[in-house]
Amino acid sequence: MKVAVTTPNKNYDILIDELPEITLDTKVAIITNPTVSGLHLKTLLSKLNAKEVHIVTLPDGEEYKNFESINFGLDRLFDAKFDRNSVLIAFGGGVIGDMTGFMASIFLRGIKFIQIPTTLLSMVDSSVGGKTGINNKYGKNLIGAFYQPEVVYINPEFLKTLPKREFAAGMAEVIKMAVMFDKEFFKGIKNNSLSIPEIIKKSVETKADVVSQDEKEKGIRSVLNYGHTFGHVIENLTNYSTYLHGEAVAIGMVMANRLAVKLGYLTKDEEKEIKEVLKNNDLPVDYKIKDVEEFYEHFFADKKTLNNSIKFIIPNGIGNYKIVKGIDKNIIIDVLKEFN
C-alpha cells in the first residue's frame, strides 16, 4: 500500500508493507532507543546496505526529548565524520522520529532522513508530515522545524511487540482524525470492523491529505491538534512522566468535547459516544485539575496561541470540526472546573 505526500518543499511516499531492501551509498546513522533496538534492530540491519552504518541510541521516553539528547546525537555524527550526503534513519516511536528529524534539519544545515516508525502513534500520525522538535520547560514541541523525510516505511509487523498501553495511545490519534474528518471511519472504529493495516492506511491518507493542503499549519493542519491544546497542558503539568502522549490527547479530547457541548457544536449524545469509543480502546478519559487558574495560564505557552488568544479545535458534530478563538475566559474556566 502506498500513500503519496505532496508539499511545496518535497514530495515523498509512505509505504505500508514489510520492510524493503534499503540501499544507501553513503554513511547512515540509525537513531533509536534501547527498547526498539533490542526488539527490531536485527531486522532493520538485515535490510540495510550502506557504506557505513552507525547506531545512535538515545534514552527511551518523552522526558528525554530535549537538547541534551539532541547534542548527544549530533556529537556522535561529528565523531563519525558525517557529511551533507549522510542519511539518518529514525527507528522508533514519535519521540525518536521527532528528535531524528530535528537533528537532520540542523546538522550541517540539513541532511536527508528516513522514517521507520515502530509504534502505532508514530505510524498513523507523527511520522507523516515533517513536524520535528523537542520539549523544554515551557511546553511541548516548542523548539523544532518543519522538515520532511525522504520516505516513510511502515511495517505493521513491528506492532506485534508493542505494549497494549502504547497501542492504545496510538488509537487516540486515529480516533482524533476520525472525529475531525470522517464519520464513516469513526463508525468503523466504533464497530471494530477495520483491520490494523486498514486503520493505518486510512489514518495516513487523512494526514497526508491535510499536510498536502497545509504543510506549515497555517490553516486546516491545525485541526489535527484536536485534544492537544488541553493534552499538552496535562503532559507539562505531569512532567511528561504520568501519561503517554496519546493518553493525554484522549483526556484532552474529552475536555475539548465538553467545551464543544457548552458552545453548542456537539450534542451530549455525541460527546458520550466519543467518550465510549475512547474508553473501549483502553484510553483514560478522566483527569483531576488541581489548580484551574494554573491550568488556564499554561494554554498561553502553546505554540498555537497568537496575540494572547487561545485557539481551540473542537468537533462540530462527529466528522466535522470547528476552529474557535477569542472564547470568553469564564467559559473556559467553567469547563475546567468540571474537571476540578
Side-chain angles (χ1 to χ4, degrees), residues 53-88:
V53 178
H54 298 261
I55 314 298
V56 179
T57 306
L58 302 179
D60 191 4
E62 190 80 36
E63 63 267 37
Y64 298 107
K65 194 171 146 186
N66 53 32
F67 266 126
E68 193 176 349
S69 297
I70 294 294
N71 282 330
F72 175 84
L74 292 173
D75 283 350
R76 301 292 75 75
L77 303 183
F78 286 117
D79 287 344
K81 297 183 169 54
F82 271 51
D83 59 32
R84 283 182 167 167
N85 292 321
S86 303
V87 177
L88 305 186

PDB file of all heavy atoms in Angstrom, residues 53-88:
ATOM      1  N   VAL A  53      27.385   1.942   8.651  1.00  0.00           N
ATOM      2  CA  VAL A  53      26.171   2.046   9.458  1.00  0.00           C
ATOM      3  C   VAL A  53      26.568   2.277  10.912  1.00  0.00           C
ATOM      4  O   VAL A  53      27.340   1.509  11.483  1.00  0.00           O
ATOM      5  CB  VAL A  53      25.296   0.780   9.357  1.00  0.00           C
ATOM      6  CG1 VAL A  53      24.069   0.917  10.257  1.00  0.00           C
ATOM      7  CG2 VAL A  53      24.860   0.535   7.915  1.00  0.00           C
ATOM      8  N   HIS A  54      26.086   3.371  11.475  1.00  0.00           N
ATOM      9  CA  HIS A  54      26.338   3.698  12.884  1.00  0.00           C
ATOM     10  C   HIS A  54      25.021   3.635  13.635  1.00  0.00           C
ATOM     11  O   HIS A  54      23.975   4.027  13.106  1.00  0.00           O
ATOM     12  CB  HIS A  54      26.945   5.099  13.012  1.00  0.00           C
ATOM     13  CG  HIS A  54      28.282   5.226  12.336  1.00  0.00           C
ATOM     14  ND1 HIS A  54      29.473   5.146  13.016  1.00  0.00           N
ATOM     15  CD2 HIS A  54      28.617   5.401  11.021  1.00  0.00           C
ATOM     16  CE1 HIS A  54      30.475   5.283  12.170  1.00  0.00           C
ATOM     17  NE2 HIS A  54      29.982   5.431  10.955  1.00  0.00           N
ATOM     18  N   ILE A  55      25.064   3.156  14.853  1.00  0.00           N
ATOM     19  CA  ILE A  55      23.873   3.090  15.694  1.00  0.00           C
ATOM     20  C   ILE A  55      24.001   4.154  16.779  1.00  0.00           C
ATOM     21  O   ILE A  55      24.990   4.174  17.526  1.00  0.00           O
ATOM     22  CB  ILE A  55      23.712   1.718  16.380  1.00  0.00           C
ATOM     23  CG1 ILE A  55      23.944   0.564  15.384  1.00  0.00           C
ATOM     24  CG2 ILE A  55      22.343   1.616  17.052  1.00  0.00           C
ATOM     25  CD1 ILE A  55      22.989   0.507  14.228  1.00  0.00           C
ATOM     26  N   VAL A  56      23.026   5.043  16.869  1.00  0.00           N
ATOM     27  CA  VAL A  56      22.996   6.067  17.919  1.00  0.00           C
ATOM     28  C   VAL A  56      21.783   5.777  18.798  1.00  0.00           C
ATOM     29  O   VAL A  56      20.639   5.869  18.342  1.00  0.00           O
ATOM     30  CB  VAL A  56      22.907   7.489  17.332  1.00  0.00           C
ATOM     31  CG1 VAL A  56      22.847   8.529  18.450  1.00  0.00           C
ATOM     32  CG2 VAL A  56      24.091   7.769  16.406  1.00  0.00           C
ATOM     33  N   THR A  57      22.042   5.394  20.038  1.00  0.00           N
ATOM     34  CA  THR A  57      20.955   5.013  20.945  1.00  0.00           C
ATOM     35  C   THR A  57      20.674   6.148  21.925  1.00  0.00           C
ATOM     36  O   THR A  57      21.557   6.565  22.679  1.00  0.00           O
ATOM     37  CB  THR A  57      21.323   3.736  21.718  1.00  0.00           C
ATOM     38  OG1 THR A  57      21.683   2.720  20.776  1.00  0.00           O
ATOM     39  CG2 THR A  57      20.152   3.248  22.538  1.00  0.00           C
ATOM     40  N   LEU A  58      19.440   6.647  21.881  1.00  0.00           N
ATOM     41  CA  LEU A  58      19.011   7.708  22.792  1.00  0.00           C
ATOM     42  C   LEU A  58      18.104   7.119  23.871  1.00  0.00           C
ATOM     43  O   LEU A  58      17.476   6.080  23.641  1.00  0.00           O
ATOM     44  CB  LEU A  58      18.255   8.799  22.014  1.00  0.00           C
ATOM     45  CG  LEU A  58      19.028   9.480  20.873  1.00  0.00           C
ATOM     46  CD1 LEU A  58      18.140  10.518  20.187  1.00  0.00           C
ATOM     47  CD2 LEU A  58      20.303  10.138  21.376  1.00  0.00           C
ATOM     48  N   PRO A  59      18.014   7.754  25.030  1.00  0.00           N
ATOM     49  CA  PRO A  59      17.144   7.223  26.093  1.00  0.00           C
ATOM     50  C   PRO A  59      15.686   7.158  25.640  1.00  0.00           C
ATOM     51  O   PRO A  59      15.248   7.909  24.768  1.00  0.00           O
ATOM     52  CB  PRO A  59      17.310   8.229  27.241  1.00  0.00           C
ATOM     53  CG  PRO A  59      18.556   8.984  26.940  1.00  0.00           C
ATOM     54  CD  PRO A  59      18.697   8.987  25.448  1.00  0.00           C
ATOM     55  N   ASP A  60      14.944   6.243  26.244  1.00  0.00           N
ATOM     56  CA  ASP A  60      13.568   5.979  25.849  1.00  0.00           C
ATOM     57  C   ASP A  60      12.604   6.808  26.700  1.00  0.00           C
ATOM     58  O   ASP A  60      12.600   6.696  27.917  1.00  0.00           O
ATOM     59  CB  ASP A  60      13.295   4.479  26.050  1.00  0.00           C
ATOM     60  CG  ASP A  60      11.986   4.035  25.427  1.00  0.00           C
ATOM     61  OD1 ASP A  60      11.325   4.867  24.776  1.00  0.00           O
ATOM     62  OD2 ASP A  60      11.628   2.852  25.578  1.00  0.00           O
ATOM     63  N   GLY A  61      11.806   7.660  26.074  1.00  0.00           N
ATOM     64  CA  GLY A  61      10.771   8.386  26.822  1.00  0.00           C
ATOM     65  C   GLY A  61      10.678   9.853  26.472  1.00  0.00           C
ATOM     66  O   GLY A  61      11.657  10.486  26.082  1.00  0.00           O
ATOM     67  N   GLU A  62       9.461  10.376  26.625  1.00  0.00           N
ATOM     68  CA  GLU A  62       9.165  11.779  26.304  1.00  0.00           C
ATOM     69  C   GLU A  62      10.020  12.741  27.119  1.00  0.00           C
ATOM     70  O   GLU A  62      10.372  13.817  26.646  1.00  0.00           O
ATOM     71  CB  GLU A  62       7.679  12.040  26.579  1.00  0.00           C
ATOM     72  CG  GLU A  62       7.151  13.373  26.092  1.00  0.00           C
ATOM     73  CD  GLU A  62       6.834  13.398  24.607  1.00  0.00           C
ATOM     74  OE1 GLU A  62       6.362  12.398  24.066  1.00  0.00           O
ATOM     75  OE2 GLU A  62       7.061  14.451  23.986  1.00  0.00           O
ATOM     76  N   GLU A  63      10.368  12.365  28.357  1.00  0.00           N
ATOM     77  CA  GLU A  63      11.144  13.276  29.209  1.00  0.00           C
ATOM     78  C   GLU A  63      12.569  13.490  28.686  1.00  0.00           C
ATOM     79  O   GLU A  63      13.273  14.403  29.125  1.00  0.00           O
ATOM     80  CB  GLU A  63      11.166  12.786  30.658  1.00  0.00           C
ATOM     81  CG  GLU A  63      11.839  11.456  30.891  1.00  0.00           C
ATOM     82  CD  GLU A  63      10.884  10.266  30.848  1.00  0.00           C
ATOM     83  OE1 GLU A  63       9.948  10.275  30.019  1.00  0.00           O
ATOM     84  OE2 GLU A  63      11.085   9.330  31.634  1.00  0.00           O
ATOM     85  N   TYR A  64      13.010  12.627  27.739  1.00  0.00           N
ATOM     86  CA  TYR A  64      14.357  12.772  27.166  1.00  0.00           C
ATOM     87  C   TYR A  64      14.332  13.496  25.814  1.00  0.00           C
ATOM     88  O   TYR A  64      15.348  13.560  25.131  1.00  0.00           O
ATOM     89  CB  TYR A  64      15.009  11.398  27.002  1.00  0.00           C
ATOM     90  CG  TYR A  64      15.191  10.695  28.324  1.00  0.00           C
ATOM     91  CD1 TYR A  64      14.381   9.616  28.669  1.00  0.00           C
ATOM     92  CD2 TYR A  64      16.146  11.125  29.238  1.00  0.00           C
ATOM     93  CE1 TYR A  64      14.525   8.970  29.887  1.00  0.00           C
ATOM     94  CE2 TYR A  64      16.299  10.488  30.464  1.00  0.00           C
ATOM     95  CZ  TYR A  64      15.488   9.417  30.780  1.00  0.00           C
ATOM     96  OH  TYR A  64      15.630   8.786  31.992  1.00  0.00           O
ATOM     97  N   LYS A  65      13.178  14.007  25.454  1.00  0.00           N
ATOM     98  CA  LYS A  65      13.056  14.709  24.171  1.00  0.00           C
ATOM     99  C   LYS A  65      13.500  16.161  24.375  1.00  0.00           C
ATOM    100  O   LYS A  65      12.689  17.080  24.454  1.00  0.00           O
ATOM    101  CB  LYS A  65      11.594  14.618  23.699  1.00  0.00           C
ATOM    102  CG  LYS A  65      11.365  15.005  22.259  1.00  0.00           C
ATOM    103  CD  LYS A  65       9.936  14.658  21.878  1.00  0.00           C
ATOM    104  CE  LYS A  65       9.368  15.635  20.907  1.00  0.00           C
ATOM    105  NZ  LYS A  65       7.951  15.400  20.642  1.00  0.00           N
ATOM    106  N   ASN A  66      14.825  16.347  24.484  1.00  0.00           N
ATOM    107  CA  ASN A  66      15.366  17.652  24.875  1.00  0.00           C
ATOM    108  C   ASN A  66      16.705  17.913  24.200  1.00  0.00           C
ATOM    109  O   ASN A  66      17.223  17.073  23.455  1.00  0.00           O
ATOM    110  CB  ASN A  66      15.510  17.723  26.401  1.00  0.00           C
ATOM    111  CG  ASN A  66      16.319  16.550  26.960  1.00  0.00           C
ATOM    112  OD1 ASN A  66      17.222  16.036  26.299  1.00  0.00           O
ATOM    113  ND2 ASN A  66      16.004  16.122  28.168  1.00  0.00           N
ATOM    114  N   PHE A  67      17.283  19.088  24.469  1.00  0.00           N
ATOM    115  CA  PHE A  67      18.545  19.468  23.837  1.00  0.00           C
ATOM    116  C   PHE A  67      19.692  18.541  24.227  1.00  0.00           C
ATOM    117  O   PHE A  67      20.613  18.324  23.445  1.00  0.00           O
ATOM    118  CB  PHE A  67      18.908  20.914  24.199  1.00  0.00           C
ATOM    119  CG  PHE A  67      18.431  21.916  23.186  1.00  0.00           C
ATOM    120  CD1 PHE A  67      17.653  22.994  23.581  1.00  0.00           C
ATOM    121  CD2 PHE A  67      18.760  21.799  21.845  1.00  0.00           C
ATOM    122  CE1 PHE A  67      17.206  23.925  22.646  1.00  0.00           C
ATOM    123  CE2 PHE A  67      18.324  22.726  20.904  1.00  0.00           C
ATOM    124  CZ  PHE A  67      17.550  23.789  21.310  1.00  0.00           C
ATOM    125  N   GLU A  68      19.639  18.005  25.432  1.00  0.00           N
ATOM    126  CA  GLU A  68      20.710  17.111  25.875  1.00  0.00           C
ATOM    127  C   GLU A  68      20.803  15.884  24.954  1.00  0.00           C
ATOM    128  O   GLU A  68      21.898  15.492  24.528  1.00  0.00           O
ATOM    129  CB  GLU A  68      20.447  16.669  27.325  1.00  0.00           C
ATOM    130  CG  GLU A  68      21.644  16.004  27.979  1.00  0.00           C
ATOM    131  CD  GLU A  68      21.387  15.666  29.443  1.00  0.00           C
ATOM    132  OE1 GLU A  68      20.371  16.134  30.011  1.00  0.00           O
ATOM    133  OE2 GLU A  68      22.197  14.933  29.993  1.00  0.00           O
ATOM    134  N   SER A  69      19.666  15.297  24.646  1.00  0.00           N
ATOM    135  CA  SER A  69      19.639  14.144  23.738  1.00  0.00           C
ATOM    136  C   SER A  69      20.077  14.540  22.334  1.00  0.00           C
ATOM    137  O   SER A  69      20.824  13.802  21.667  1.00  0.00           O
ATOM    138  CB  SER A  69      18.231  13.542  23.686  1.00  0.00           C
ATOM    139  OG  SER A  69      17.845  13.044  24.947  1.00  0.00           O
ATOM    140  N   ILE A  70      19.616  15.701  21.876  1.00  0.00           N
ATOM    141  CA  ILE A  70      19.994  16.181  20.536  1.00  0.00           C
ATOM    142  C   ILE A  70      21.506  16.381  20.457  1.00  0.00           C
ATOM    143  O   ILE A  70      22.164  15.949  19.493  1.00  0.00           O
ATOM    144  CB  ILE A  70      19.253  17.503  20.196  1.00  0.00           C
ATOM    145  CG1 ILE A  70      17.745  17.264  20.074  1.00  0.00           C
ATOM    146  CG2 ILE A  70      19.810  18.142  18.910  1.00  0.00           C
ATOM    147  CD1 ILE A  70      17.317  16.394  18.915  1.00  0.00           C
ATOM    148  N   ASN A  71      22.078  17.023  21.462  1.00  0.00           N
ATOM    149  CA  ASN A  71      23.523  17.265  21.464  1.00  0.00           C
ATOM    150  C   ASN A  71      24.308  15.961  21.481  1.00  0.00           C
ATOM    151  O   ASN A  71      25.331  15.827  20.793  1.00  0.00           O
ATOM    152  CB  ASN A  71      23.926  18.128  22.661  1.00  0.00           C
ATOM    153  CG  ASN A  71      23.611  19.594  22.443  1.00  0.00           C
ATOM    154  OD1 ASN A  71      23.630  20.070  21.308  1.00  0.00           O
ATOM    155  ND2 ASN A  71      23.324  20.317  23.515  1.00  0.00           N
ATOM    156  N   PHE A  72      23.832  14.995  22.260  1.00  0.00           N
ATOM    157  CA  PHE A  72      24.487  13.685  22.291  1.00  0.00           C
ATOM    158  C   PHE A  72      24.487  13.066  20.886  1.00  0.00           C
ATOM    159  O   PHE A  72      25.523  12.581  20.398  1.00  0.00           O
ATOM    160  CB  PHE A  72      23.780  12.752  23.281  1.00  0.00           C
ATOM    161  CG  PHE A  72      24.330  11.354  23.277  1.00  0.00           C
ATOM    162  CD1 PHE A  72      25.446  11.031  24.027  1.00  0.00           C
ATOM    163  CD2 PHE A  72      23.727  10.354  22.504  1.00  0.00           C
ATOM    164  CE1 PHE A  72      25.968   9.734  24.010  1.00  0.00           C
ATOM    165  CE2 PHE A  72      24.238   9.059  22.481  1.00  0.00           C
ATOM    166  CZ  PHE A  72      25.368   8.756  23.236  1.00  0.00           C
ATOM    167  N   GLY A  73      23.336  13.100  20.230  1.00  0.00           N
ATOM    168  CA  GLY A  73      23.224  12.530  18.885  1.00  0.00           C
ATOM    169  C   GLY A  73      24.099  13.252  17.877  1.00  0.00           C
ATOM    170  O   GLY A  73      24.804  12.619  17.074  1.00  0.00           O
ATOM    171  N   LEU A  74      24.080  14.576  17.911  1.00  0.00           N
ATOM    172  CA  LEU A  74      24.902  15.359  16.979  1.00  0.00           C
ATOM    173  C   LEU A  74      26.387  15.079  17.189  1.00  0.00           C
ATOM    174  O   LEU A  74      27.154  14.961  16.223  1.00  0.00           O
ATOM    175  CB  LEU A  74      24.621  16.856  17.158  1.00  0.00           C
ATOM    176  CG  LEU A  74      23.228  17.345  16.727  1.00  0.00           C
ATOM    177  CD1 LEU A  74      23.033  18.805  17.108  1.00  0.00           C
ATOM    178  CD2 LEU A  74      23.016  17.163  15.224  1.00  0.00           C
ATOM    179  N   ASP A  75      26.809  14.963  18.447  1.00  0.00           N
ATOM    180  CA  ASP A  75      28.216  14.655  18.732  1.00  0.00           C
ATOM    181  C   ASP A  75      28.621  13.327  18.109  1.00  0.00           C
ATOM    182  O   ASP A  75      29.739  13.177  17.601  1.00  0.00           O
ATOM    183  CB  ASP A  75      28.463  14.613  20.249  1.00  0.00           C
ATOM    184  CG  ASP A  75      28.547  15.996  20.870  1.00  0.00           C
ATOM    185  OD1 ASP A  75      28.597  16.993  20.112  1.00  0.00           O
ATOM    186  OD2 ASP A  75      28.551  16.091  22.115  1.00  0.00           O
ATOM    187  N   ARG A  76      27.716  12.330  18.142  1.00  0.00           N
ATOM    188  CA  ARG A  76      28.050  11.030  17.541  1.00  0.00           C
ATOM    189  C   ARG A  76      28.227  11.171  16.018  1.00  0.00           C
ATOM    190  O   ARG A  76      29.088  10.521  15.427  1.00  0.00           O
ATOM    191  CB  ARG A  76      26.940  10.005  17.834  1.00  0.00           C
ATOM    192  CG  ARG A  76      26.641   9.736  19.294  1.00  0.00           C
ATOM    193  CD  ARG A  76      27.750   9.028  20.048  1.00  0.00           C
ATOM    194  NE  ARG A  76      28.886   9.854  20.375  1.00  0.00           N
ATOM    195  CZ  ARG A  76      28.905  10.788  21.356  1.00  0.00           C
ATOM    196  NH1 ARG A  76      27.825  11.043  22.069  1.00  0.00           N
ATOM    197  NH2 ARG A  76      30.000  11.479  21.600  1.00  0.00           N
ATOM    198  N   LEU A  77      27.424  12.033  15.410  1.00  0.00           N
ATOM    199  CA  LEU A  77      27.545  12.251  13.958  1.00  0.00           C
ATOM    200  C   LEU A  77      28.862  12.942  13.617  1.00  0.00           C
ATOM    201  O   LEU A  77      29.546  12.569  12.652  1.00  0.00           O
ATOM    202  CB  LEU A  77      26.363  13.088  13.435  1.00  0.00           C
ATOM    203  CG  LEU A  77      24.950  12.537  13.684  1.00  0.00           C
ATOM    204  CD1 LEU A  77      23.902  13.441  13.036  1.00  0.00           C
ATOM    205  CD2 LEU A  77      24.803  11.112  13.178  1.00  0.00           C
ATOM    206  N   PHE A  78      29.218  13.938  14.419  1.00  0.00           N
ATOM    207  CA  PHE A  78      30.504  14.622  14.186  1.00  0.00           C
ATOM    208  C   PHE A  78      31.678  13.672  14.438  1.00  0.00           C
ATOM    209  O   PHE A  78      32.660  13.667  13.679  1.00  0.00           O
ATOM    210  CB  PHE A  78      30.617  15.866  15.069  1.00  0.00           C
ATOM    211  CG  PHE A  78      29.755  17.016  14.607  1.00  0.00           C
ATOM    212  CD1 PHE A  78      28.725  17.501  15.409  1.00  0.00           C
ATOM    213  CD2 PHE A  78      29.961  17.615  13.375  1.00  0.00           C
ATOM    214  CE1 PHE A  78      27.922  18.558  14.984  1.00  0.00           C
ATOM    215  CE2 PHE A  78      29.175  18.672  12.937  1.00  0.00           C
ATOM    216  CZ  PHE A  78      28.149  19.147  13.744  1.00  0.00           C
ATOM    217  N   ASP A  79      31.576  12.850  15.500  1.00  0.00           N
ATOM    218  CA  ASP A  79      32.632  11.875  15.792  1.00  0.00           C
ATOM    219  C   ASP A  79      32.863  10.935  14.603  1.00  0.00           C
ATOM    220  O   ASP A  79      34.002  10.554  14.309  1.00  0.00           O
ATOM    221  CB  ASP A  79      32.259  11.013  17.020  1.00  0.00           C
ATOM    222  CG  ASP A  79      32.353  11.780  18.326  1.00  0.00           C
ATOM    223  OD1 ASP A  79      32.990  12.860  18.347  1.00  0.00           O
ATOM    224  OD2 ASP A  79      31.770  11.309  19.328  1.00  0.00           O
ATOM    225  N   ALA A  80      31.774  10.555  13.943  1.00  0.00           N
ATOM    226  CA  ALA A  80      31.862   9.609  12.819  1.00  0.00           C
ATOM    227  C   ALA A  80      32.112  10.313  11.487  1.00  0.00           C
ATOM    228  O   ALA A  80      32.078   9.668  10.435  1.00  0.00           O
ATOM    229  CB  ALA A  80      30.580   8.789  12.748  1.00  0.00           C
ATOM    230  N   LYS A  81      32.350  11.633  11.557  1.00  0.00           N
ATOM    231  CA  LYS A  81      32.654  12.429  10.352  1.00  0.00           C
ATOM    232  C   LYS A  81      31.557  12.332   9.284  1.00  0.00           C
ATOM    233  O   LYS A  81      31.816  12.137   8.099  1.00  0.00           O
ATOM    234  CB  LYS A  81      34.015  12.034   9.770  1.00  0.00           C
ATOM    235  CG  LYS A  81      35.176  12.310  10.718  1.00  0.00           C
ATOM    236  CD  LYS A  81      36.503  11.969  10.088  1.00  0.00           C
ATOM    237  CE  LYS A  81      37.677  12.488  10.938  1.00  0.00           C
ATOM    238  NZ  LYS A  81      37.649  12.056  12.342  1.00  0.00           N
ATOM    239  N   PHE A  82      30.318  12.469   9.740  1.00  0.00           N
ATOM    240  CA  PHE A  82      29.200  12.533   8.797  1.00  0.00           C
ATOM    241  C   PHE A  82      29.288  13.824   7.983  1.00  0.00           C
ATOM    242  O   PHE A  82      29.827  14.830   8.453  1.00  0.00           O
ATOM    243  CB  PHE A  82      27.866  12.470   9.552  1.00  0.00           C
ATOM    244  CG  PHE A  82      27.368  11.072   9.770  1.00  0.00           C
ATOM    245  CD1 PHE A  82      28.192  10.092  10.318  1.00  0.00           C
ATOM    246  CD2 PHE A  82      26.075  10.720   9.422  1.00  0.00           C
ATOM    247  CE1 PHE A  82      27.737   8.801  10.502  1.00  0.00           C
ATOM    248  CE2 PHE A  82      25.606   9.425   9.613  1.00  0.00           C
ATOM    249  CZ  PHE A  82      26.441   8.462  10.158  1.00  0.00           C
ATOM    250  N   ASP A  83      28.758  13.771   6.741  1.00  0.00           N
ATOM    251  CA  ASP A  83      28.780  14.958   5.888  1.00  0.00           C
ATOM    252  C   ASP A  83      27.388  15.212   5.327  1.00  0.00           C
ATOM    253  O   ASP A  83      26.411  14.572   5.731  1.00  0.00           O
ATOM    254  CB  ASP A  83      29.825  14.810   4.772  1.00  0.00           C
ATOM    255  CG  ASP A  83      29.562  13.594   3.882  1.00  0.00           C
ATOM    256  OD1 ASP A  83      28.372  13.229   3.689  1.00  0.00           O
ATOM    257  OD2 ASP A  83      30.536  12.997   3.376  1.00  0.00           O
ATOM    258  N   ARG A  84      27.299  16.128   4.374  1.00  0.00           N
ATOM    259  CA  ARG A  84      25.984  16.521   3.857  1.00  0.00           C
ATOM    260  C   ARG A  84      25.306  15.450   3.015  1.00  0.00           C
ATOM    261  O   ARG A  84      24.114  15.565   2.715  1.00  0.00           O
ATOM    262  CB  ARG A  84      26.111  17.827   3.064  1.00  0.00           C
ATOM    263  CG  ARG A  84      26.239  19.029   3.989  1.00  0.00           C
ATOM    264  CD  ARG A  84      26.309  20.326   3.238  1.00  0.00           C
ATOM    265  NE  ARG A  84      26.111  21.449   4.170  1.00  0.00           N
ATOM    266  CZ  ARG A  84      26.369  22.710   3.864  1.00  0.00           C
ATOM    267  NH1 ARG A  84      26.861  23.021   2.679  1.00  0.00           N
ATOM    268  NH2 ARG A  84      26.151  23.656   4.748  1.00  0.00           N
ATOM    269  N   ASN A  85      26.052  14.412   2.617  1.00  0.00           N
ATOM    270  CA  ASN A  85      25.436  13.307   1.879  1.00  0.00           C
ATOM    271  C   ASN A  85      24.955  12.190   2.796  1.00  0.00           C
ATOM    272  O   ASN A  85      24.316  11.250   2.343  1.00  0.00           O
ATOM    273  CB  ASN A  85      26.439  12.725   0.868  1.00  0.00           C
ATOM    274  CG  ASN A  85      26.732  13.699  -0.253  1.00  0.00           C
ATOM    275  OD1 ASN A  85      25.833  14.391  -0.718  1.00  0.00           O
ATOM    276  ND2 ASN A  85      27.980  13.765  -0.680  1.00  0.00           N
ATOM    277  N   SER A  86      25.285  12.292   4.059  1.00  0.00           N
ATOM    278  CA  SER A  86      24.916  11.240   5.005  1.00  0.00           C
ATOM    279  C   SER A  86      23.402  11.239   5.258  1.00  0.00           C
ATOM    280  O   SER A  86      22.714  12.231   4.998  1.00  0.00           O
ATOM    281  CB  SER A  86      25.661  11.432   6.323  1.00  0.00           C
ATOM    282  OG  SER A  86      27.063  11.437   6.101  1.00  0.00           O
ATOM    283  N   VAL A  87      22.921  10.109   5.768  1.00  0.00           N
ATOM    284  CA  VAL A  87      21.477   9.933   5.964  1.00  0.00           C
ATOM    285  C   VAL A  87      21.211   9.433   7.384  1.00  0.00           C
ATOM    286  O   VAL A  87      21.933   8.569   7.890  1.00  0.00           O
ATOM    287  CB  VAL A  87      20.901   8.916   4.948  1.00  0.00           C
ATOM    288  CG1 VAL A  87      19.412   8.667   5.204  1.00  0.00           C
ATOM    289  CG2 VAL A  87      21.112   9.401   3.517  1.00  0.00           C
ATOM    290  N   LEU A  88      20.180   9.965   8.006  1.00  0.00           N
ATOM    291  CA  LEU A  88      19.722   9.471   9.299  1.00  0.00           C
ATOM    292  C   LEU A  88      18.465   8.625   9.094  1.00  0.00           C
ATOM    293  O   LEU A  88      17.646   8.925   8.223  1.00  0.00           O
ATOM    294  CB  LEU A  88      19.390  10.627  10.247  1.00  0.00           C
ATOM    295  CG  LEU A  88      20.473  11.675  10.520  1.00  0.00           C
ATOM    296  CD1 LEU A  88      20.002  12.639  11.596  1.00  0.00           C
ATOM    297  CD2 LEU A  88      21.790  11.028  10.907  1.00  0.00           C
TER     298      LEU A  88
END
